[in-house]
């Protein structure tokens, strides 16, 4: 005879299921903020693939030029515009230079510029935004008026003017990106600090006599560090693209040095006859920007305190 569950039995089963879930939650190891963020990032497969791609490119940028048998500056008149082969894995350019070595040397330059500019702009933005949001009043008004003036100037125009004054090279590119690149981070940190400075833990620190410097950089900034890292990660593709654009129009890295942007510029000159010379650096520029954006989206979700502990 078929057994029909009564309402009492159903309630009993639901109660047992809830107790089981509660016991599993208690049995889970206690994780701090960063451990929980790493756990959630690994569950996001798309973001984790982006992390693997960026990690692979960084490793190859370090060791890639040394793996091949050719130096990135060596020319060979008898091996010009060769396609991909066992000797030249990415082919050669119009001067017979090995594309494999040049692509990964270019990756070293492009990634260095992108990450360095993001870190410097992040530090400046956190410093200025934290001071502006915490002190308020005349200081905040003065800083925000300066930011409004700088924000109204097109970024690429500033970069071009700086490059024309300082010349080409990696240092000049980083300086050009830093002059106005910190504005976005400063405005973001200011907004967050304005919301945090009235919180109870900040007021308690003030009552205990904690210095204002320690309140900002020990109690307030750590509460936005996750969003700050996410913002920096998503800013790196913009700096890499800016470097590629400036190098493409002739204001960036100059021969015999190379970057992905300068390689794309050289490849565009012979695109119809040897399209691989443009496709290869273009492919790495596109996949790097895509991977960093996917990683940034994943970090945004993984480091969001509001989402902590919500998923099983």
């Amino acid at each position: 005879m078929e057994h029909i569950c009564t309402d009492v039995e159903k309630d009993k089963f639901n109660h047992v299921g809830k107790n089981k879930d509660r016991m599993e939650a208690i049995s889970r190891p206690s994780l701090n903020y960063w451990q929980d963020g790493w756990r959630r990032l690994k569950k996001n497969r798309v973001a984790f693939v982006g992390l693997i791609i960026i990690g692979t490119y960084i490793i190859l940028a370090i060791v890639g030029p040394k793996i091949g048998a050719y130096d990135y500056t060596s020319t060979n008149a008898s091996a010009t515009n060769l396609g991909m082969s066992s000797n030249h894995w990415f082919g050669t350019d119009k001067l017979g230079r090995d594309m494999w070595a040049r692509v990964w040397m270019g990756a070293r330059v492009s990634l260095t510029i992108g990450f360095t500019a993001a870190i410097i702009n992040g530090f400046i933005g956190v410093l200025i935004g934290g001071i502006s949001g915490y002190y308020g009043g005349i200081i905040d008004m003065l800083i925000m008026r300066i930011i409004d003036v700088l924000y109204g100037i097109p970024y690429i125009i500033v970069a071009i003017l700086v490059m024309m004054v300082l010349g080409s090279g990696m240092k000049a590119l980083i300086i050009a990106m830093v002059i106005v690149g910190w504005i976005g981070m400063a405005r973001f940190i200011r907004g967050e600090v304005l919301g945090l400075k009235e919180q109870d833990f900040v007021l308690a620190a003030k009552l205990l006599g904690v210095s204002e410097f320690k309140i900002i950089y020990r109690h307030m900034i750590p509460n936005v560090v996750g969003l700050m890292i996410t913002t920096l990660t998503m800013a790196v593709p913009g700096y890499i693209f800016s470097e590629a654009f400036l190098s493409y129009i002739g204001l960036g890295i100059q021969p015999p040095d190379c970057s992905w942007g300068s390689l794309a510029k050289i490849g565009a000159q012979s695109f119809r006859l040897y399209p691989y010379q443009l496709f290869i650096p273009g492919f790495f520029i596109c996949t790097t920007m895509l991977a960093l954006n996917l990683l940034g989206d994943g970090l945004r979700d993984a480091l969001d305190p509001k989402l902590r502990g919500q998923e099983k």
Side-chain angles (χ1 to χ4, degrees), residues 256-271:
D257 296 325
C258 60
S259 67
W260 281 341
S262 64
L263 290 177
K265 175 187 177 182
I266 296 173
Q269 297 173 357
S270 55
F271 171 70

mmCIF file with all atom_site columns, all heavy atoms in Angstrom, residues 256-271:
data_model
loop_
_atom_site.group_PDB
_atom_site.id
_atom_site.type_symbol
_atom_site.label_atom_id
_atom_site.label_alt_id
_atom_site.label_comp_id
_atom_site.label_asym_id
_atom_site.label_entity_id
_atom_site.label_seq_id
_atom_site.pdbx_PDB_ins_code
_atom_site.Cartn_x
_atom_site.Cartn_y
_atom_site.Cartn_z
_atom_site.occupancy
_atom_site.B_iso_or_equiv
_atom_site.pdbx_formal_charge
_atom_site.auth_seq_id
_atom_site.auth_comp_id
_atom_site.auth_asym_id
_atom_site.auth_atom_id
_atom_site.pdbx_PDB_model_num
ATOM 1   N N   . PRO A 1 256 ? 64.907 50.048 -32.004 1.00 0.00 ? 256 PRO A N   1
ATOM 2   C CA  . PRO A 1 256 ? 64.697 48.601 -32.130 1.00 0.00 ? 256 PRO A CA  1
ATOM 3   C C   . PRO A 1 256 ? 63.860 47.991 -31.011 1.00 0.00 ? 256 PRO A C   1
ATOM 4   O O   . PRO A 1 256 ? 63.578 46.790 -31.043 1.00 0.00 ? 256 PRO A O   1
ATOM 5   C CB  . PRO A 1 256 ? 66.128 48.052 -32.094 1.00 0.00 ? 256 PRO A CB  1
ATOM 6   C CG  . PRO A 1 256 ? 66.849 49.007 -31.204 1.00 0.00 ? 256 PRO A CG  1
ATOM 7   C CD  . PRO A 1 256 ? 66.265 50.362 -31.489 1.00 0.00 ? 256 PRO A CD  1
ATOM 8   N N   . ASP A 1 257 ? 63.506 48.783 -29.990 1.00 0.00 ? 257 ASP A N   1
ATOM 9   C CA  . ASP A 1 257 ? 62.610 48.260 -28.957 1.00 0.00 ? 257 ASP A CA  1
ATOM 10  C C   . ASP A 1 257 ? 61.240 48.016 -29.562 1.00 0.00 ? 257 ASP A C   1
ATOM 11  O O   . ASP A 1 257 ? 60.911 48.528 -30.635 1.00 0.00 ? 257 ASP A O   1
ATOM 12  C CB  . ASP A 1 257 ? 62.516 49.241 -27.790 1.00 0.00 ? 257 ASP A CB  1
ATOM 13  C CG  . ASP A 1 257 ? 63.845 49.414 -27.079 1.00 0.00 ? 257 ASP A CG  1
ATOM 14  O OD1 . ASP A 1 257 ? 64.596 48.421 -26.997 1.00 0.00 ? 257 ASP A OD1 1
ATOM 15  O OD2 . ASP A 1 257 ? 64.141 50.537 -26.623 1.00 0.00 ? 257 ASP A OD2 1
ATOM 16  N N   . CYS A 1 258 ? 60.421 47.266 -28.845 1.00 0.00 ? 258 CYS A N   1
ATOM 17  C CA  . CYS A 1 258 ? 59.121 46.935 -29.408 1.00 0.00 ? 258 CYS A CA  1
ATOM 18  C C   . CYS A 1 258 ? 58.095 46.757 -28.300 1.00 0.00 ? 258 CYS A C   1
ATOM 19  O O   . CYS A 1 258 ? 58.433 46.485 -27.152 1.00 0.00 ? 258 CYS A O   1
ATOM 20  C CB  . CYS A 1 258 ? 59.201 45.663 -30.265 1.00 0.00 ? 258 CYS A CB  1
ATOM 21  S SG  . CYS A 1 258 ? 59.751 44.202 -29.362 1.00 0.00 ? 258 CYS A SG  1
ATOM 22  N N   . SER A 1 259 ? 56.863 46.949 -28.683 1.00 0.00 ? 259 SER A N   1
ATOM 23  C CA  . SER A 1 259 ? 55.712 46.652 -27.838 1.00 0.00 ? 259 SER A CA  1
ATOM 24  C C   . SER A 1 259 ? 54.642 46.068 -28.752 1.00 0.00 ? 259 SER A C   1
ATOM 25  O O   . SER A 1 259 ? 54.809 46.038 -29.981 1.00 0.00 ? 259 SER A O   1
ATOM 26  C CB  . SER A 1 259 ? 55.211 47.919 -27.140 1.00 0.00 ? 259 SER A CB  1
ATOM 27  O OG  . SER A 1 259 ? 54.666 48.818 -28.094 1.00 0.00 ? 259 SER A OG  1
ATOM 28  N N   . TRP A 1 260 ? 53.548 45.619 -28.174 1.00 0.00 ? 260 TRP A N   1
ATOM 29  C CA  . TRP A 1 260 ? 52.488 45.090 -29.023 1.00 0.00 ? 260 TRP A CA  1
ATOM 30  C C   . TRP A 1 260 ? 51.954 46.164 -29.967 1.00 0.00 ? 260 TRP A C   1
ATOM 31  O O   . TRP A 1 260 ? 51.614 45.873 -31.113 1.00 0.00 ? 260 TRP A O   1
ATOM 32  C CB  . TRP A 1 260 ? 51.361 44.542 -28.154 1.00 0.00 ? 260 TRP A CB  1
ATOM 33  C CG  . TRP A 1 260 ? 51.679 43.182 -27.599 1.00 0.00 ? 260 TRP A CG  1
ATOM 34  C CD1 . TRP A 1 260 ? 52.618 42.309 -28.061 1.00 0.00 ? 260 TRP A CD1 1
ATOM 35  C CD2 . TRP A 1 260 ? 51.041 42.540 -26.492 1.00 0.00 ? 260 TRP A CD2 1
ATOM 36  N NE1 . TRP A 1 260 ? 52.608 41.155 -27.319 1.00 0.00 ? 260 TRP A NE1 1
ATOM 37  C CE2 . TRP A 1 260 ? 51.650 41.271 -26.348 1.00 0.00 ? 260 TRP A CE2 1
ATOM 38  C CE3 . TRP A 1 260 ? 50.040 42.913 -25.616 1.00 0.00 ? 260 TRP A CE3 1
ATOM 39  C CZ2 . TRP A 1 260 ? 51.266 40.379 -25.350 1.00 0.00 ? 260 TRP A CZ2 1
ATOM 40  C CZ3 . TRP A 1 260 ? 49.656 42.016 -24.614 1.00 0.00 ? 260 TRP A CZ3 1
ATOM 41  C CH2 . TRP A 1 260 ? 50.255 40.770 -24.496 1.00 0.00 ? 260 TRP A CH2 1
ATOM 42  N N   . GLY A 1 261 ? 51.896 47.407 -29.517 1.00 0.00 ? 261 GLY A N   1
ATOM 43  C CA  . GLY A 1 261 ? 51.418 48.482 -30.380 1.00 0.00 ? 261 GLY A CA  1
ATOM 44  C C   . GLY A 1 261 ? 52.356 48.771 -31.533 1.00 0.00 ? 261 GLY A C   1
ATOM 45  O O   . GLY A 1 261 ? 51.916 48.947 -32.673 1.00 0.00 ? 261 GLY A O   1
ATOM 46  N N   . SER A 1 262 ? 53.657 48.813 -31.257 1.00 0.00 ? 262 SER A N   1
ATOM 47  C CA  . SER A 1 262 ? 54.619 49.065 -32.336 1.00 0.00 ? 262 SER A CA  1
ATOM 48  C C   . SER A 1 262 ? 54.676 47.896 -33.314 1.00 0.00 ? 262 SER A C   1
ATOM 49  O O   . SER A 1 262 ? 54.854 48.098 -34.524 1.00 0.00 ? 262 SER A O   1
ATOM 50  C CB  . SER A 1 262 ? 56.001 49.333 -31.740 1.00 0.00 ? 262 SER A CB  1
ATOM 51  O OG  . SER A 1 262 ? 56.493 48.191 -31.055 1.00 0.00 ? 262 SER A OG  1
ATOM 52  N N   . LEU A 1 263 ? 54.499 46.675 -32.826 1.00 0.00 ? 263 LEU A N   1
ATOM 53  C CA  . LEU A 1 263 ? 54.461 45.517 -33.726 1.00 0.00 ? 263 LEU A CA  1
ATOM 54  C C   . LEU A 1 263 ? 53.229 45.572 -34.626 1.00 0.00 ? 263 LEU A C   1
ATOM 55  O O   . LEU A 1 263 ? 53.303 45.213 -35.811 1.00 0.00 ? 263 LEU A O   1
ATOM 56  C CB  . LEU A 1 263 ? 54.462 44.220 -32.910 1.00 0.00 ? 263 LEU A CB  1
ATOM 57  C CG  . LEU A 1 263 ? 55.758 43.876 -32.172 1.00 0.00 ? 263 LEU A CG  1
ATOM 58  C CD1 . LEU A 1 263 ? 55.574 42.608 -31.344 1.00 0.00 ? 263 LEU A CD1 1
ATOM 59  C CD2 . LEU A 1 263 ? 56.918 43.701 -33.141 1.00 0.00 ? 263 LEU A CD2 1
ATOM 60  N N   . ALA A 1 264 ? 52.112 46.017 -34.061 1.00 0.00 ? 264 ALA A N   1
ATOM 61  C CA  . ALA A 1 264 ? 50.904 46.156 -34.881 1.00 0.00 ? 264 ALA A CA  1
ATOM 62  C C   . ALA A 1 264 ? 51.094 47.221 -35.953 1.00 0.00 ? 264 ALA A C   1
ATOM 63  O O   . ALA A 1 264 ? 50.625 47.075 -37.087 1.00 0.00 ? 264 ALA A O   1
ATOM 64  C CB  . ALA A 1 264 ? 49.711 46.484 -33.992 1.00 0.00 ? 264 ALA A CB  1
ATOM 65  N N   . LYS A 1 265 ? 51.791 48.290 -35.592 1.00 0.00 ? 265 LYS A N   1
ATOM 66  C CA  . LYS A 1 265 ? 52.047 49.342 -36.572 1.00 0.00 ? 265 LYS A CA  1
ATOM 67  C C   . LYS A 1 265 ? 52.895 48.811 -37.726 1.00 0.00 ? 265 LYS A C   1
ATOM 68  O O   . LYS A 1 265 ? 52.592 49.061 -38.905 1.00 0.00 ? 265 LYS A O   1
ATOM 69  C CB  . LYS A 1 265 ? 52.760 50.502 -35.889 1.00 0.00 ? 265 LYS A CB  1
ATOM 70  C CG  . LYS A 1 265 ? 53.188 51.602 -36.859 1.00 0.00 ? 265 LYS A CG  1
ATOM 71  C CD  . LYS A 1 265 ? 54.029 52.647 -36.162 1.00 0.00 ? 265 LYS A CD  1
ATOM 72  C CE  . LYS A 1 265 ? 54.505 53.711 -37.156 1.00 0.00 ? 265 LYS A CE  1
ATOM 73  N NZ  . LYS A 1 265 ? 55.379 54.723 -36.505 1.00 0.00 ? 265 LYS A NZ  1
ATOM 74  N N   . ILE A 1 266 ? 53.957 48.069 -37.409 1.00 0.00 ? 266 ILE A N   1
ATOM 75  C CA  . ILE A 1 266 ? 54.815 47.506 -38.456 1.00 0.00 ? 266 ILE A CA  1
ATOM 76  C C   . ILE A 1 266 ? 54.046 46.493 -39.293 1.00 0.00 ? 266 ILE A C   1
ATOM 77  O O   . ILE A 1 266 ? 54.164 46.452 -40.524 1.00 0.00 ? 266 ILE A O   1
ATOM 78  C CB  . ILE A 1 266 ? 56.066 46.874 -37.822 1.00 0.00 ? 266 ILE A CB  1
ATOM 79  C CG1 . ILE A 1 266 ? 56.905 47.956 -37.136 1.00 0.00 ? 266 ILE A CG1 1
ATOM 80  C CG2 . ILE A 1 266 ? 56.891 46.140 -38.871 1.00 0.00 ? 266 ILE A CG2 1
ATOM 81  C CD1 . ILE A 1 266 ? 58.077 47.404 -36.339 1.00 0.00 ? 266 ILE A CD1 1
ATOM 82  N N   . GLY A 1 267 ? 53.227 45.666 -38.618 1.00 0.00 ? 267 GLY A N   1
ATOM 83  C CA  . GLY A 1 267 ? 52.458 44.654 -39.339 1.00 0.00 ? 267 GLY A CA  1
ATOM 84  C C   . GLY A 1 267 ? 51.418 45.257 -40.269 1.00 0.00 ? 267 GLY A C   1
ATOM 85  O O   . GLY A 1 267 ? 51.138 44.693 -41.333 1.00 0.00 ? 267 GLY A O   1
ATOM 86  N N   . ALA A 1 268 ? 50.846 46.407 -39.883 1.00 0.00 ? 268 ALA A N   1
ATOM 87  C CA  . ALA A 1 268 ? 49.829 47.042 -40.729 1.00 0.00 ? 268 ALA A CA  1
ATOM 88  C C   . ALA A 1 268 ? 50.405 47.524 -42.055 1.00 0.00 ? 268 ALA A C   1
ATOM 89  O O   . ALA A 1 268 ? 49.685 47.608 -43.053 1.00 0.00 ? 268 ALA A O   1
ATOM 90  C CB  . ALA A 1 268 ? 49.192 48.212 -39.976 1.00 0.00 ? 268 ALA A CB  1
ATOM 91  N N   . GLN A 1 269 ? 51.708 47.826 -42.067 1.00 0.00 ? 269 GLN A N   1
ATOM 92  C CA  . GLN A 1 269 ? 52.333 48.315 -43.292 1.00 0.00 ? 269 GLN A CA  1
ATOM 93  C C   . GLN A 1 269 ? 52.423 47.237 -44.375 1.00 0.00 ? 269 GLN A C   1
ATOM 94  O O   . GLN A 1 269 ? 52.470 47.555 -45.559 1.00 0.00 ? 269 GLN A O   1
ATOM 95  C CB  . GLN A 1 269 ? 53.729 48.848 -42.966 1.00 0.00 ? 269 GLN A CB  1
ATOM 96  C CG  . GLN A 1 269 ? 53.709 50.043 -42.013 1.00 0.00 ? 269 GLN A CG  1
ATOM 97  C CD  . GLN A 1 269 ? 55.097 50.444 -41.561 1.00 0.00 ? 269 GLN A CD  1
ATOM 98  O OE1 . GLN A 1 269 ? 56.092 49.788 -41.917 1.00 0.00 ? 269 GLN A OE1 1
ATOM 99  N NE2 . GLN A 1 269 ? 55.202 51.505 -40.768 1.00 0.00 ? 269 GLN A NE2 1
ATOM 100 N N   . SER A 1 270 ? 52.462 45.986 -43.969 1.00 0.00 ? 270 SER A N   1
ATOM 101 C CA  . SER A 1 270 ? 52.547 44.886 -44.949 1.00 0.00 ? 270 SER A CA  1
ATOM 102 C C   . SER A 1 270 ? 51.390 43.905 -44.758 1.00 0.00 ? 270 SER A C   1
ATOM 103 O O   . SER A 1 270 ? 51.539 42.707 -44.959 1.00 0.00 ? 270 SER A O   1
ATOM 104 C CB  . SER A 1 270 ? 53.885 44.139 -44.796 1.00 0.00 ? 270 SER A CB  1
ATOM 105 O OG  . SER A 1 270 ? 54.053 43.692 -43.454 1.00 0.00 ? 270 SER A OG  1
ATOM 106 N N   . PHE A 1 271 ? 50.236 44.452 -44.354 1.00 0.00 ? 271 PHE A N   1
ATOM 107 C CA  . PHE A 1 271 ? 49.104 43.592 -44.006 1.00 0.00 ? 271 PHE A CA  1
ATOM 108 C C   . PHE A 1 271 ? 48.618 42.763 -45.191 1.00 0.00 ? 271 PHE A C   1
ATOM 109 O O   . PHE A 1 271 ? 48.298 41.585 -45.044 1.00 0.00 ? 271 PHE A O   1
ATOM 110 C CB  . PHE A 1 271 ? 47.965 44.469 -43.469 1.00 0.00 ? 271 PHE A CB  1
ATOM 111 C CG  . PHE A 1 271 ? 46.681 43.721 -43.273 1.00 0.00 ? 271 PHE A CG  1
ATOM 112 C CD1 . PHE A 1 271 ? 46.556 42.783 -42.253 1.00 0.00 ? 271 PHE A CD1 1
ATOM 113 C CD2 . PHE A 1 271 ? 45.592 43.944 -44.116 1.00 0.00 ? 271 PHE A CD2 1
ATOM 114 C CE1 . PHE A 1 271 ? 45.373 42.096 -42.077 1.00 0.00 ? 271 PHE A CE1 1
ATOM 115 C CE2 . PHE A 1 271 ? 44.409 43.255 -43.937 1.00 0.00 ? 271 PHE A CE2 1
ATOM 116 C CZ  . PHE A 1 271 ? 44.294 42.326 -42.915 1.00 0.00 ? 271 PHE A CZ  1
#
